[in-house]
Amino acid sequence: MNEALLRSLTPSVLGILVRRGADFAAAEDAVQDALVEAVRVWPADPPRDPKGWLVTVAWRRFLDASRADTARRRREDLVDEEPAPGLAPAVDDTLQLYFLCAHPSLTPSSAVALTLRAVGGLTTRQIAQAYLVPETTMAQRISRAKRTVSGVRFDRPGDVATVLRVLYLVFNEGYSGDVDLAAEAIRLTRQLATAIDHPEVSGLLALMLLHNARRATRIAPDGSLVPLAEQDRTRWDTESITGGVDILRTALARDRLGEFQAQAAIAALHADAPTAEETDWVQIVEWYDELARLTDSPVVRLNRAVAVGEADGPRAGLAALAELDDSLPRHAAVAAYLHERDGDLATAARLYAEAARQAPNLAERDHLTRQAARLNARRRP
């Protein structure tokens, strides 16, 4: 079963059902039912037109559900509009669906969560990790969002800021998680940049290109993570770096700074350094100060502590870290790194082991476990 094919077809199928009159929540449920049926049927009987097959099955599931709901008997009139057999139209509705999910009736956080689940294809667990909340909390948030938009006509699409937040989280999951969505996020952001003249859209596109330029060097052949300082910079995608920097410069020249432009500026400074030792950490700290002012995000302040440790020494970094809640995800990993640089190997090893137990994915857990083992081996007589 080609799960990537199913994932790529989902937005278009969902868009077709919405355009034909299905409310979003019911359409999303029908598409999910069709995907389950595809997983069951396709291995033995693959369709000639996968998209058309999904549209037909999803539409029938939607009609079946509508008939069962006495409050929506009027939807039975739609049966005559069932798509005719044959190839489905090649229309990309993904970006439109992102805007529709960012509906004014939803809070920005609920709109982002709903879009990630319904259109982006992320699991509730992955979305919860992105939001730094328990999975049960996120499941409730998504359920409430579905109830809120159930029956709502999508004639008032959401705002650009919410759509950018969704695209950013989709890219991050594709870049660092176990679902590859980074290329799709870049494609949609390029579409958005073409359609909308907005400096933060350009900032996000620049940030994605600069991060994605390092992608080939982030994972070793054995599957282990390679820290930024140890990556082979000769293998970075210079074309993506050049493109990202050019887009960023144009955006910054408009003097309308936003968080994505600030993040892209930090990424550009990393990309510009010939070696890790030549990184301009002082300027990176300054950009983190700007980013903290714009977002007041604890994750930004955590990353800033690392930059301070590089610019002013590990004890300065530890002092900055002490101002943050130690329950913050990856707090222990940052503390371990700074303690190691300060020469306290025993504390660093203990913190690396603690961070490994809290790691959100297997690759990160293995990396932190190796770090703890490395320091414990150095401490043995």
Side-chain angles (χ1 to χ4, degrees):
M1 170 55 59
N2 191 334
E3 294 183 6
L5 174 61
L6 288 176
R7 187 181 301 281
S8 68
L9 291 175
T10 297
S12 294
V13 176
L14 185 57
I16 289 172
L17 265 64
V18 170
R19 288 202 306 274
R20 301 191 76 83
D23 66 72
F24 186 88
E28 201 258 337
D29 289 341
V31 172
Q32 293 300 320
D33 287 344
L35 294 177
V36 171
E37 185 69 5
V39 171
R40 185 183 70 82
V41 172
W42 286 10
D45 186 20
R48 183 176 64 88
D49 175 21
K51 181 177 177 181
W53 189 99
L54 286 172
V55 169
T56 300
V57 172
W59 186 255
R60 287 171 179 166
R61 291 290 192 276
F62 164 69
L63 291 177
D64 290 343
S66 297
R67 294 188 189 100
D69 187 347
T70 56
R72 298 175 184 175
R73 292 284 183 185
R74 62 183 179 82
R75 295 192 185 278
E76 292 183 351
D77 295 336
L78 298 175
V79 69
D80 294 332
E81 298 181 21
E82 180 176 335
L87 296 176
V91 178
D92 185 356
D93 299 291
T94 309
L95 193 57
Q96 179 188 11
L97 287 170
Y98 272 61
F99 273 95
L100 293 180
C101 283
H103 196 271
S105 62
L106 295 174
T107 64
S109 60
S110 294
V112 171
L114 178 61
T115 313
L116 290 171
R117 182 69 187 92
V119 187
L122 274 65
T123 65
T124 303
R125 175 184 60 81
Q126 291 164 336
I127 302 169
Q129 289 175 355
Y131 270 89
L132 308 179
V133 299
E135 184 174 348
T136 54
T137 301
M138 183 52 64
Q140 293 170 357
R141 184 179 299 176
I142 294 173
S143 294
R144 285 195 301 268
K146 287 184 178 181
R147 288 195 298 269
T148 299
V149 301
S150 179
V152 170
R153 299 302 301 177
F154 289 92
D155 55 356
R156 292 186 300 151
D159 66 351
V160 175
T162 302
V163 173
L164 289 179
R165 177 63 51 192
V166 176
L167 289 168
Y168 176 61
L169 290 175
V170 169
F171 176 81
N172 279 345
E173 189 59 47
Y175 187 70
S176 61
D178 47 33
V179 178
D180 186 1
L181 296 171
E184 174 69 357
I186 291 174
R187 183 183 71 83
L188 292 173
T189 306
R190 285 191 187 277
Q191 283 188 9
L192 190 59
T194 300
I196 298 177
D197 183 20
H198 193 296
E200 273 294 81
V201 176
S202 298
L204 178 58
L205 179 56
L207 176 63
M208 289 178 175
L209 292 174
L210 289 164
H211 277 321
N212 210 52
R214 305 197 301 261
R215 189 172 186 179
T217 64
R218 295 183 67 253
I219 306 296
D222 63 0
S224 60
L225 291 178
V226 181
L228 176 62
E230 300 173 18
Q231 291 174 13
D232 182 358
R233 298 180 180 226
T234 63
R235 295 178 56 211
W236 287 358
D237 184 346
T238 55
E239 183 176 347
S240 289
I241 291 173
T242 301
V245 169
D246 288 345
I247 292 170
L248 174 62
R249 285 174 176 164
T250 301
L252 290 176
R254 300 177 65 177
D255 199 22
R256 289 170 55 194
L257 184 64
E259 62 174 296
F260 293 121
Q261 295 170 69
Q263 288 190 60
I266 293 170
L269 287 168
H270 283 298
D272 186 56
T275 65
E277 293 74 21
E278 296 174 85
T279 303
D280 189 345
W281 286 105
V282 172
Q283 194 172 168
I284 287 177
V285 171
E286 293 174 355
W287 276 111
Y288 270 122
D289 288 339
E290 289 284 352
L291 191 54
R293 179 182 61 79
L294 290 166
T295 66
D296 195 29
S297 164
V299 175
V300 169
R301 297 187 185 279
L302 184 70
N303 291 331
R304 178 185 178 277
V306 176
V308 169
E310 299 290 352
D312 301 327
R315 295 195 179 182
L318 287 168
L321 187 64
E323 300 175 3
L324 303 175
D325 187 344
D326 61 8
S327 66
L328 190 65
R330 295 187 172 90
H331 185 285
V334 171
Y337 174 74
L338 292 171
H339 276 290
E340 180 184 356
R341 290 201 61 226
D342 195 38
D344 186 352
L345 301 189
T347 300
R350 175 179 59 80
L351 288 169
Y352 274 130
E354 178 184 333
R357 292 190 293 270
Q358 301 169 354
N361 56 65
L362 181 61
E364 192 169 335
R365 186 189 71 190
D366 288 348
H367 171 72
L368 293 167
T369 300
R370 289 191 184 97
Q371 296 295 84
R374 173 178 59 81
L375 293 187
N376 284 327
R378 286 177 58 183
R379 292 171 52 228
R380 295 192 189 102

